[in-house]
Amino acid sequence: MLAKTAIILQSKITCPHCGHHEVEVMPSDACQFFYDCKGCGIVLRPKPGDCCVFCSYGSVPCPPIQADKSCGCG
């Protein structure tokens, strides 16, 4: 039997504009489309083709993507 991999709920999100990074807890039941950078104040949005800001700018993708499931937010 294969071991089930635990879903990681924390991701370090890095602003592509100023380089500020912050560890944030990802929602497990919804996508996060917007994120206010705590360094420069710019509002981050997902890159084209990504479902959320964590998939675009985080160190860990969102929980549905980690679980190899469709995010369903598109």
Side-chain angles (χ1 to χ4, degrees):
M1 182 195 282
L2 295 173
K4 192 172 187 178
T5 304
I7 300 295
I8 299 167
L9 295 178
Q10 289 189 331
S11 184
K12 180 170 73 171
I13 193 164
T14 302
C15 178
H17 299 279
C18 73
H20 179 82
H21 53 86
E22 194 82 28
V23 175
E24 299 285 355
V25 176
M26 296 181 282
S28 60
D29 60 348
C31 289
Q32 186 166 333
F33 295 108
F34 304 105
Y35 178 81
D36 295 324
C37 175
K38 293 178 177 135
C40 66
I42 196 164
V43 177
L44 300 180
R45 292 174 177 81
K47 294 178 184 176
D50 285 343
C51 63
C52 68
V53 293
F54 291 105
C55 287
S56 293
Y57 307 107
S59 60
V60 177
C62 70
I65 299 299
Q66 290 180 55
D68 289 331
K69 296 180 180 175
S70 173
C71 189
C73 296

